[in-house]
Amino acid sequence: MSHPRRGPLRSIVPEVRAKSPGAAAGPGGDGERELPVTRQQLELFQRAASPTDVRVLVVICDDRPVILGRNFQDQYPDSDLTVLSEARVKQGGRPFGLTRIKSDHGIVRTLASLPPADLVVDMRQGRPADVRNTFRRTFLALADGGRYITRQEPGTPADGGDIVDDVRNLADHQAVPTARRRALSALELGLGRALADVSVSGDFLVLQKRGEHVIKLGVDDTRAALAARGVEQRVIARVAPERRVSASSVWSSDAVLGAERLGGTIEVQELVCTVYEGVLCAPRQVAVVERLLLPTSYFLPGRSSRTTRGLPNLGSDFSALPAFEAEPEELSGTYYHLDNQIAGHYGHVITHDLSKLWAWDAALAEYPDLKVLISPQVKTGEVPGYTYELLEAFGIGRERVHVITGPVRAERLITATQAFQQPNFLSPVARDVWARVTAGLLPRAGRGPLPERVFVSRRAASRRRCLNADEVERRFEEAGFVTVYPEDFSLPDQARLFSNVPVVAGYAGSGLINTVFSSGPATRIVLASKSYWATNEYHIAAVYGGDLHYFWCDPVVPDASAASPATGGMFHADYVFDVERDGQALDELLLSLEPRAPRLGPTWSAAG
């Protein structure tokens, strides 16, 4: 199929209905409801998309899908035809696929199970709002250069218009200033960029698409779509799902937030380690097979948002596949996917990356030359030393680490479900990984005295700062806590400290994530903004046991820009510990901690 031209969309779209006087006719207005498709319409479709160019054809209809399918099959005999219909029809005995659909998401799932469509024809009539919505949900599933044909039918003000209105808006979006584009959704921007050409044939609108896009589905839907495409997904390790009761007692300064975010029962999802072949990988956690992003590409595979940072997001169902500067490098051998969207971030390495290593031994037993696949930090272009050190402590030497800085095609890729997916769950198998890392670090730790109580502070925080930290930390120091800054310690000394100290307090975030090095139950005191929904400390306590005390602080947003998605939204807002509201409860808690810890000074180092 020829590559789409960049047509003068804004000049074409206003004339669309003028060239198509029959478009406004309702059901039965022109007699076309008597047959699913007329010969004239089929000839029109053939002119818009020649049968020699259409390998994969999808037709969407209201009813009579069998007759309609036969008509299209006659005109496109060499195409792989699939008819999607809301009608219930018996299967079997037809040379084309027939699928009953109940929603636009069902259409997306079906398109994901097929090769990229060269032609999609929506034959529905009298339903302009449904046709418009389906276009928005499915257009990006087409092949580069593919065509999308649908009726022109003016909508009413109540339903928001029809597809012509949508196309006109998308064409206008391409000419608006950059500042105004920020108000548009990612899907609207993506559709506008992908709209290559608009033309009119009779009562039908013909749209041509440009660019490559990948489909994003949930875990189960991705597996089903890949299976339909004939992709082998060999599972070599599995951990069954389970419902766990937290091993920790929890106290919350806000009963409502505590009940909402710190519940006593946790649903741990199934963990699966899968082998794929011929996987396109790119930096920042991108792994693609047959136009589908693999679940290993997401921070939280089980969530419906399915956002990615390695590719431009175009809503919840699609991401754009950019034109890479070079052809993907071919990587022979087998690779264990351990990449991250925020590559090299200490907290993400600990929680996301290491928690995928629960299946490493099973994979290594089958593939002795197995290597780890990661990408470097975006800002530095380097892999942090602590990443190598943590992997080495687990038993993975540098010679097994392969760093990618551009697209590659792995001969064989092994993915393991992330065992820590907060705020959803933490599987106990992650504790085994962290214990192994701790055991690998401890032989190189110091031997000086350790405090009984530590407060984990954040010296160089640029966001999520406690604005009255001096007051907060003074209270803890008066209660015998020593203030520590984890970045001042070597990894072995951090592991020794957090595996031995029985009482740990601090601000929610990467510092307290070090409690994964704990050797058993501990008392944990957490201060966190109400707008910070990550509950790492709760999930860690739920697995390791002990008492968890959670103080919720009020977020502070100085201006509207601080709450924008570009700055991380309220998730990263600074906050204030409300002394008047919660100060007494904190003081009573600190006084209740016995025996009182010996003083080692307001701050402490491994050297004592």
Side-chain angles (χ1 to χ4, degrees), residues 53-207:
D53 291 335
V54 178
R55 293 154 297 182
V56 179
L57 168 61
V58 176
V59 177
I60 305 170
C61 64
D62 291 300
D63 52 18
R64 290 180 285 183
V66 176
I67 298 175
L68 189 67
R70 287 171 179 162
N71 292 156
F72 271 93
Q73 189 75 79
D74 289 342
Q75 301 301 314
Y76 290 87
D78 298 325
S79 69
D80 182 357
L81 170 63
T82 299
V83 178
L84 308 181
S85 172
E86 298 172 2
R88 186 186 298 275
V89 180
K90 292 183 180 180
Q91 299 293 319
R94 284 176 288 277
F96 56 86
L98 183 58
T99 301
R100 188 185 183 202
I101 48 96
K102 298 180 180 180
S103 66
D104 286 336
H105 186 61
I107 297 177
V108 174
R109 289 199 306 266
T110 301
L111 292 177
S113 68
L114 303 170
D118 301 299
L119 174 61
V120 171
V121 181
D122 191 339
M123 292 295 299
R124 291 176 295 179
Q125 189 171 0
R127 297 168 56 183
D130 291 337
V131 168
R132 182 195 67 226
N133 292 335
T134 299
F135 159 73
R136 293 173 68 88
R137 291 291 300 272
T138 61
F139 183 67
L140 297 179
L142 266 69
D144 185 14
R147 287 175 172 82
Y148 196 101
I149 303 178
T150 185
R151 294 178 187 273
Q152 300 181 68
E153 289 187 316
T156 65
D159 66 25
D162 72 343
I163 191 172
V164 174
D165 299 309
D166 242 16
V167 171
R168 179 183 292 108
N169 290 332
L170 293 173
D172 287 342
H173 292 165
Q174 298 184 49
V176 300
T178 302
R180 284 180 54 195
R181 291 183 192 176
R182 296 193 183 101
L184 303 174
S185 71
L187 178 59
E188 288 173 322
L189 288 172
L191 287 169
R193 295 189 184 107
L195 192 60
D197 190 36
V198 179
S199 60
V200 179
S201 293
D203 292 344
F204 289 84
L205 192 64
V206 181
L207 311 174

Side-chain angles (χ1 to χ4, degrees), residues 472-501:
V472 169
E473 293 174 26
R474 179 186 61 77
R475 289 172 179 259
F476 278 92
E477 289 169 3
E478 289 178 351
F481 283 74
V482 294
T483 302
V484 299
Y485 301 93
E487 64 269 22
D488 290 345
F489 302 87
S490 67
L491 272 177
D493 285 333
Q494 288 186 55
R496 176 172 177 259
L497 172 66
F498 288 98
S499 66
N500 286 281
V501 174

Side-chain angles (χ1 to χ4, degrees), residues 93-320:
R94 284 176 288 277
F96 56 86
L98 183 58
T99 301
R100 188 185 183 202
I101 48 96
K102 298 180 180 180
S103 66
D104 286 336
H105 186 61
I107 297 177
V108 174
R109 289 199 306 266
T110 301
L111 292 177
S113 68
L114 303 170
D118 301 299
L119 174 61
V120 171
V121 181
D122 191 339
M123 292 295 299
R124 291 176 295 179
Q125 189 171 0
R127 297 168 56 183
D130 291 337
V131 168
R132 182 195 67 226
N133 292 335
T134 299
F135 159 73
R136 293 173 68 88
R137 291 291 300 272
T138 61
F139 183 67
L140 297 179
L142 266 69
D144 185 14
R147 287 175 172 82
Y148 196 101
I149 303 178
T150 185
R151 294 178 187 273
Q152 300 181 68
E153 289 187 316
T156 65
D159 66 25
D162 72 343
I163 191 172
V164 174
D165 299 309
D166 242 16
V167 171
R168 179 183 292 108
N169 290 332
L170 293 173
D172 287 342
H173 292 165
Q174 298 184 49
V176 300
T178 302
R180 284 180 54 195
R181 291 183 192 176
R182 296 193 183 101
L184 303 174
S185 71
L187 178 59
E188 288 173 322
L189 288 172
L191 287 169
R193 295 189 184 107
L195 192 60
D197 190 36
V198 179
S199 60
V200 179
S201 293
D203 292 344
F204 289 84
L205 192 64
V206 181
L207 311 174
Q208 192 168 22
K209 183 218 171 193
R210 63 165 165 255
E212 299 282 356
H213 300 82
V214 294
I215 300 176
K216 303 185 294 189
L217 298 175
V219 175
D220 292 338
D221 285 342
T222 300
R223 292 172 182 166
L226 289 173
R229 298 291 304 275
V231 174
E232 182 180 4
Q233 308 164 76
R234 190 165 61 84
V235 175
I236 59 175
R238 189 189 304 268
V239 178
E242 63 173 319
R243 169 176 287 187
R244 300 189 65 256
V245 176
S246 172
S248 173
S249 64
V250 178
W251 176 89
S252 170
S253 66
D254 185 311
V256 175
L257 278 180
E260 177 184 328
R261 303 184 188 179
L262 313 175
T265 302
I266 304 164
E267 300 290 341
V268 180
Q269 297 175 10
E270 178 186 50
L271 308 184
V272 179
C273 179
T274 310
V275 183
Y276 301 92
E277 294 186 359
V279 183
L280 174 65
C281 299
R284 306 186 77 181
Q285 208 172 337
V286 174
V288 178
V289 175
E290 298 290 353
R291 292 186 314 131
L292 281 161
L293 268 179
L294 297 180
T296 190
S297 302
Y298 310 116
F299 272 154
L300 300 172
R303 304 194 84 177
S304 59
S305 59
R306 292 187 282 278
T307 56
T308 60
R309 298 196 183 197
L311 297 175
N313 281 300
L314 305 178
S316 60
D317 294 321
F318 297 95
S319 283

Side-chain angles (χ1 to χ4, degrees), residues 342-367:
I342 308 180
H345 181 286
Y346 181 77
H348 289 275
V349 172
I350 292 286
T351 56
H352 291 169
D353 300 349
L354 293 185
S355 77
K356 292 180 180 179
L357 289 174
W358 61 269
W360 171 263
D361 289 343
L364 185 63
E366 189 159 343
Y367 301 99

Side-chain angles (χ1 to χ4, degrees), residues 405-454:
T405 57
V408 300
R409 191 172 301 279
E411 176 185 1
R412 193 174 298 106
L413 189 74
I414 296 180
T415 71
T417 308
Q418 198 170 284
F420 196 179
Q421 296 185 31
Q422 68 80 27
N424 298 335
F425 68 87
L426 167 60
S427 171
V429 298
R431 181 176 180 175
D432 298 334
V433 173
W434 294 324
R436 183 162 157 182
V437 171
T438 303
L441 292 172
L442 287 179
R444 295 185 286 112
R447 295 292 183 268
L450 292 173
E452 291 287 327
R453 305 173 185 176
V454 298

Side-chain angles (χ1 to χ4, degrees), residues 19-33:
K19 293 183 179 181
S20 182
D30 57 6
E32 283 197 1
R33 294 289 289 178

